[in-house]
Amino acid sequence: MTVYELQEKILKLKKETNTAILAHSYQAREIVEIADYTGDSYKLSVDASKTDAENILFCGVHFMAETAKMLSPEKRVFLANKDAGCPMAEQMDKELISQLREKDPDRTVVAYINTTASLKTVCDVCVTSSSALRIVKALDTDKILFIPDCNLGSWVKKQVPEKDIQLLHGGCPTHAAVTVAEVKKAKEQHPDALFLVHPECVPAVTELADYVGSTSGIMDFARKSDHKEFIIGTETSIAEHLQYECPEKKFYPVTKNIVCRNMKLTTLPDVYNALVGIKDNVQNYNSLEIIMEDELIAKARKCIDEMIRLGG
Ligand code: 13P
Ligand code: SF4
């Protein structure tokens, strides 16, 4: 069967089962093409809360599907590949954060959305890469503990020096692996290109950027820019999608190694099989239905609601 034939079957099944497909922009082109909603983690969490579909099928990583479930508990939410987790989301321990809160109760705990629902229960407000700066500025407190990504946290801290922002040692292994040497090499190879980078990269790398932003931020910047060449400092899919959308411009991944293995676990057959599972009401071997206790949803959702209240 060709990719196109499989996509046609998916579109048909999607309608039959009243399912909305949400795909993070790090997914492969063939998945993005059959999705109802695509974008960064903030946009997808809002899209999930607005869709009228009965079922949500998430092509991304576990914490994203969990966020969708928390925002739409009445819907059935499925992750297309059950093994797709985000290593950063699992990095911090709920007990450690609870202890830190007890020691310093005046400090507001700001959690990157790349955290488990369980960890969110001991945090005050969530942020995404597109909203972190805005939300930290908007908080009516100066004492903040920012978890888990110390690179995103450092980037925010640098721009809000008036606030006392504490960081812990966590982060994205994919983005943190990008080196200054790789950036310099890419700049030498493409001297006319602008360097657009995700704030999950280390400070020495973001300092070399012409623009720092979320996946959607990077894509919007490149689409609107009059510039013709861009070095992309985030997952290689973003350079691929942009190249497809803007064939008159040139996009170069900063290094070919900037691939999120977890995001890339989901395949088009996974999407098809997950929809067959929804149709037949059987657990598909590769997908996962997100089941969460009401109490966990109620406790963890507070910091997501706070993020939305503060304007995402
Ligand atoms: P965005 O919020 O930019 O989508 O980032 C999510 C993510 O996991 C980046 O690695
Ligand atoms: Fe997690 Fe990094 Fe992959 Fe994003 S790129 S999903 S932060 S491991």
Side-chain angles (χ1 to χ4, degrees), residues 24 26 40-41 63-64 112 114 128-129 175 198 200 214-215:
H24 189 269
Y26 289 166
D40 66 7
S41 45
F63 79 84
M64 296 179 177
Y112 192 21
N114 298 39
T128 63
S129 52
H175 285 84
H198 199 282
E200 287 175 11
S214 72
T215 48

Side-chain angles (χ1 to χ4, degrees), residues 151 172-180 182 200-202 205 255 257-258:
N151 294 319
C172 164
T174 306
H175 285 84
V178 178
T179 64
V180 168
E182 285 169 328
E200 287 175 11
C201 289
V202 298
V205 164
T255 141
N257 300 330
I258 184 167

Side-chain angles (χ1 to χ4, degrees), residues 12 16 21 26 29 38 64 73 98 122 126 150 177-178 186 190 192 220 224 226 260-261 274 278 281 298:
K12 197 162 161 266
E16 269 174 49
I21 298 184
Y26 289 166
R29 183 89 221 141
T38 57
M64 296 179 177
S98 300
V122 292
C126 270
C150 62
V178 178
H190 311 291
D192 296 328
D220 285 347
K224 289 180 192 151
D226 292 333
C260 175
R261 306 270 163 221
I278 293 171
N281 202 18

Side-chain angles (χ1 to χ4, degrees), residues 7-303:
Q7 284 180 320
E8 287 290 299
K9 280 178 178 273
I10 288 172
L11 294 177
K12 197 162 161 266
L13 267 175
K14 194 171 78 163
K15 262 200 195 139
E16 269 174 49
T17 56
N18 193 9
T19 301
I21 298 184
L22 275 68
H24 189 269
S25 308
Y26 289 166
Q27 296 291 300
R29 183 89 221 141
E30 64 206 37
I31 293 178
V32 164
E33 279 171 353
I34 47 83
D36 298 281
Y37 303 95
T38 57
D40 66 7
S41 45
Y42 179 71
K43 179 180 174 291
L44 290 179
S45 58
V46 175
D47 289 341
S49 67
K50 289 194 180 148
T51 173
D52 293 333
E54 252 173 83
N55 306 296
I56 291 175
L57 178 57
F58 220 107
C59 304
V61 288
H62 191 269
F63 79 84
M64 296 179 177
E66 229 180 25
T67 306
K69 180 68 184 175
M70 287 191 268
L71 287 167
S72 307
E74 72 293 353
K75 293 181 182 140
R76 294 184 75 188
V77 177
F78 300 84
L79 182 64
N81 186 307
K82 65 178 181 333
D83 298 321
C86 165
M88 169 161 33
E90 314 280 338
Q91 270 164 0
M92 254 153 229
D93 186 47
K94 188 178 157 189
E95 278 63 48
L96 168 75
I97 304 304
S98 300
Q99 281 168 16
L100 293 174
R101 287 189 77 109
E102 268 173 39
K103 277 194 201 146
D104 196 357
D106 297 337
R107 199 168 280 279
T108 297
V109 181
V110 176
Y112 192 21
I113 200 155
N114 298 39
T115 40
T116 60
S118 162
L119 189 60
K120 285 183 177 90
T121 62
V122 292
C123 300
D124 297 298
V125 58
C126 270
V127 296
T128 63
S129 52
S130 58
S131 66
L133 192 55
R134 202 161 57 244
I135 290 184
V136 166
K137 282 185 180 167
L139 283 173
D140 59 1
T141 171
D142 284 352
K143 286 183 74 184
I144 289 165
L145 171 65
F146 190 101
I147 61 162
D149 187 352
C150 62
N151 294 319
L152 174 63
S154 299
W155 179 69
V156 172
K157 193 175 158 87
K158 201 174 156 202
Q159 288 164 87
V160 195
E162 66 280 13
K163 297 209 177 192
D164 163 15
I165 304 177
Q166 269 185 6
L167 307 171
L168 296 180
H169 199 78
C172 164
T174 306
H175 285 84
V178 178
T179 64
V180 168
E182 285 169 328
V183 177
K184 288 193 172 154
K185 190 171 165 208
K187 285 184 173 225
E188 268 164 36
Q189 284 169 344
H190 311 291
D192 296 328
L194 293 182
F195 177 43
L196 318 184
V197 74
H198 199 282
E200 287 175 11
C201 289
V202 298
V205 164
T206 48
E207 271 160 25
L208 300 174
D210 297 291
Y211 172 82
V212 182
S214 72
T215 48
S216 293
I218 290 174
M219 292 182 87
D220 285 347
F221 182 97
R223 285 181 193 118
K224 289 180 192 151
S225 170
D226 292 333
H227 229 82
K228 293 284 176 250
E229 291 185 58
F230 305 87
I231 298 165
I232 303 296
T234 190
E235 222 277 344
T236 49
S237 311
I238 300 301
E240 276 171 43
H241 297 322
L242 281 168
Q243 194 59 72
Y244 186 86
E245 277 184 45
C246 315
E248 74 291 358
K249 297 182 179 177
K250 288 207 164 91
F251 300 94
Y252 315 104
V254 65
T255 141
K256 64 176 179 7
N257 300 330
I258 184 167
V259 174
C260 175
R261 306 270 163 221
N262 295 282
M263 280 283 184
K264 290 288 146 59
L265 281 176
T266 307
T267 61
L268 204 57
D270 284 342
V271 180
Y272 173 74
N273 289 330
L275 285 167
V276 172
I278 293 171
K279 183 169 175 244
D280 298 343
N281 202 18
V282 290
Q283 181 67 47
N284 176 273
Y285 70 100
N286 226 17
S287 64
L288 174 77
E289 177 163 9
I290 306 292
I291 306 284
M292 296 172 75
E293 303 269 323
D294 292 348
E295 198 189 337
L296 175 61
I297 294 184
K299 282 190 187 160
R301 205 189 136 141
K302 280 191 206 144
C303 63

